[in-house]
Amino acid sequence: DATQDQVDKAWKKLMLAIQAMDFVPGDKTELAKLVLQAQSIQLDDYMDGAEKDAFTTAVEQAEQVLLDEDAMKADIDAAYAALETAMSNLVPKPQAGDKTELQKVIDEANIKNGQMDKYVDDAAAKKAFTDALQAANDVNDKEGAQQDEIDAAKMELLTAMAGLRLRADKSSLNEWLEELKAIDLSQYTAESADVVRAVIARAEVLAAQDLGEDEMELIQAMIAEMENAKAQLEKAPAEPEDPENPDDSSKPDDTSK
């Protein structure tokens, strides 16, 4: 049977062997590579928060392990695992969107904005347009604006632009008005002259309205009425000569002088 001294020596030898298993010097090559990779990461490309803080801490701890000449394999493995996890947990910032199409729409809107007198005086439509243009410019100037935000601003501006109505060209209507007003209606029958007067009155009301291009059919219909009224004018019959009041050419010469 083993003596107590033999048992004690065997126990001590076993404990030393177990302890040696936990304190094996490790190879830092892979950890060094991972640290270099981590140091090359541009942290400005990632969201602030707990994930970025954990990454910074993991890098610092891994660097300390690299500097520790007595670092054991367990410490190196733990530092590697912590850093690898922290790197994978970093949250990238969303990529900024493409503003090319938004800029094109803004350029078109700026042209319209400098020609607002060409559009029907609709206060609500013009305010919606100027508000949408300002909002689009704000998004266009915003650093890191996201694509959905850019697209929404573009569509809002396009919708507001569509709400602007170009003024109708009333030049032909006004020309016809001047032409009818210049007619000496006393030379025509009362009935046909009254038709012209009524058309002139209606045309003046229409000419005073702020009409949009989508209402050109109203102007065209009124011009057609004016053309027809003029065409229907009838000359008044000549008044018969009064035999009791002949003109001067029919009077006999005055010989009393």
Side-chain angles (χ1 to χ4, degrees):
D1 292 339
T3 64
Q4 185 61 45
D5 182 58
Q6 291 174 324
V7 171
D8 291 343
K9 287 180 178 179
W11 178 255
K12 184 176 181 180
K13 187 176 181 180
L14 176 61
M15 289 299 99
L16 289 173
I18 293 174
Q19 290 177 4
M21 291 175 63
D22 291 334
F23 294 98
V24 176
D27 183 355
K28 301 177 183 178
T29 304
E30 295 304 316
L31 178 60
K33 292 179 180 179
L34 189 62
V35 169
L36 286 175
Q37 183 181 346
Q39 290 173 338
S40 68
I41 291 175
Q42 299 296 320
L43 288 180
D44 289 341
D45 294 337
Y46 295 86
M47 300 289 288
D48 292 335
E51 294 82 0
K52 184 183 284 189
D53 294 340
F55 170 78
T56 302
T57 299
V59 171
E60 293 174 351
Q61 291 176 346
E63 290 172 339
Q64 290 175 359
V65 171
L66 288 177
L67 293 174
D68 185 358
E69 295 180 357
D70 298 326
M72 297 291 103
K73 183 177 184 303
D75 298 326
I76 296 170
D77 290 346
Y80 187 98
L83 181 54
E84 186 177 44
T85 299
M87 287 173 64
S88 65
N89 287 341
L90 284 172
V91 181
K93 289 181 179 178
Q95 292 296 313
D98 184 356
K99 300 176 181 176
T100 304
E101 294 303 315
L102 176 61
Q103 183 62 61
K104 291 179 181 178
V105 177
I106 289 175
D107 291 342
E108 183 181 350
N110 283 330
I111 293 174
K112 291 182 180 293
N113 196 41
Q115 301 173 338
M116 293 303 281
D117 58 326
K118 292 185 177 181
Y119 295 89
V120 172
D121 193 13
D122 183 336
K126 288 187 175 181
K127 183 178 187 305
F129 168 74
T130 54
D131 288 349
L133 178 56
Q134 181 60 57
N137 278 317
D138 289 343
V139 172
N140 202 36
D141 293 338
K142 180 179 178 181
E143 184 178 353
Q146 303 304 297
Q147 194 62 53
D148 57 348
E149 184 179 11
I150 294 169
D151 292 342
K154 182 186 72 174
M155 291 307 301
E156 183 178 353
L157 182 53
L158 284 171
T159 299
M161 288 167 63
L164 295 174
R165 297 166 56 219
L166 278 168
R167 283 194 165 104
D169 182 1
K170 294 186 285 187
S171 58
S172 295
L173 177 64
N174 291 326
E175 288 172 5
W176 265 97
L177 267 172
E178 293 302 316
E179 184 174 339
L180 291 189
K181 288 179 179 180
I183 296 174
D184 182 3
L185 296 178
S186 66
Q187 302 297 313
Y188 299 88
T189 63
E191 183 178 356
S192 63
D194 286 343
V195 171
V196 172
R197 292 188 183 97
V199 169
I200 289 175
R202 293 198 301 274
E204 287 178 331
V205 171
L206 188 65
Q209 296 178 23
D210 194 7
L211 302 175
E213 278 191 335
D214 54 338
E215 297 173 299
M216 276 299 296
E217 68 274 8
L218 297 177
I219 295 175
Q220 292 165 351
M222 180 56 67
I223 291 175
E225 281 191 54
M226 298 167 83
E227 290 177 339
N228 186 60
K230 181 184 178 184
Q232 297 299 319
L233 279 173
E234 296 180 16
K235 280 285 188 178
E239 293 184 5
E241 186 179 285
D242 188 351
E244 296 182 359
N245 296 290
D247 58 27
D248 292 339
S249 61
S250 63
K251 292 181 182 179
D253 293 337
D254 186 357
T255 59
S256 60
K257 295 182 180 179

